[in-house]
C-alpha cells in the first residue's frame, strides 16, 4: 500500500483519477478521467471506455482513488519525469541523515 505522503513521488500508472481545471475555480466538479495509462513529464494520459485523453499536469487538479479514500493533488506538484520524481525523494531521505 502506498502512503498518501509519498504518492506524488510514485509511479501513477494504474491509478483511477478524476480531474478539474485550475482555470475555473468556480467549477468544483471533478470529471472522472478513468485510469492513468501513461505518465510523461508534462502530461497525464488516461483511458476511459476505450477513449484516451491527455491532461496537461500544470493546468489541472487531480484526485487519485486509493484503497482508503481519495487524494487531491495539484498537478504542478507532479510535473517532471516520473523517474526523477522518485530520485528526488531518495535525495530528500538521504540528506536528512
Amino acid at each position: 500500500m502506498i502512503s498518501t505522503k509519498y504518492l506524488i513521488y510514485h509511479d501513477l500508472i494504474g491509478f483511477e483519477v478524476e480531474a478539474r481545471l485550475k482555470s475555473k475555480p468556480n467549477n468544483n466538479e471533478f470529471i472522472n478521467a478513468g485510469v492513468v495509462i501513461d505518465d510523461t513529464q508534462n502530461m497525464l494520459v488516461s483511458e476511459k471506455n476505450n477513449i484516451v485523453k491527455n491532461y496537461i499536469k500544470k493546468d489541472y487538479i487531480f484526485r487519485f482513488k486509493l484503497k482508503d479514500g481519495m487524494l487531491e493533488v495539484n498537478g504542478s506538484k507532479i510535473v517532471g519525469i516520473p523517474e526523477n520524481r522518485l530520485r528526488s525523494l531518495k535525495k530528500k531521505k538521504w540528506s536528512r541523515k
Side-chain angles (χ1 to χ4, degrees):
M1 187 167 82
I2 301 165
S3 170
T4 56
K5 182 178 178 182
Y6 298 114
L7 180 71
I8 62 172
Y9 301 107
H10 193 270
D11 185 20
L12 302 174
I13 295 174
F15 283 102
E16 289 185 45
V17 67
E18 296 177 352
R20 177 175 65 88
L21 267 173
K22 284 188 204 177
S23 62
K24 297 183 180 180
N26 296 336
N27 185 6
N28 291 331
E29 292 184 30
F30 281 82
I31 57 167
N32 185 355
V35 177
V36 177
I37 59 170
D38 195 13
D39 180 13
T40 65
Q41 181 172 354
N42 296 311
M43 302 282 279
L44 205 62
V45 183
S46 69
E47 180 181 18
K48 179 182 173 191
N49 299 329
N50 294 325
I51 299 172
V52 176
K53 290 198 176 184
N54 299 325
Y55 296 93
I56 299 172
K57 291 178 182 178
K58 66 178 181 154
D59 293 341
Y60 284 88
I61 295 174
F62 298 101
R63 275 190 188 165
F64 293 96
K65 186 175 181 182
L66 304 173
K67 290 182 181 180
D68 55 348
M70 301 284 272
L71 178 66
E72 196 168 301
V73 176
N74 188 337
S76 43
K77 296 279 187 187
I78 57 175
V79 169
I81 300 170
E83 294 84 14
N84 290 349
R85 290 195 316 250
L86 182 60
R87 286 183 193 143
S88 67
L89 173 65
K90 288 180 180 178
K91 286 180 184 176
K92 286 181 184 179
K93 283 186 173 181
W94 183 259
S95 64
R96 280 192 245 161
K97 290 184 178 181

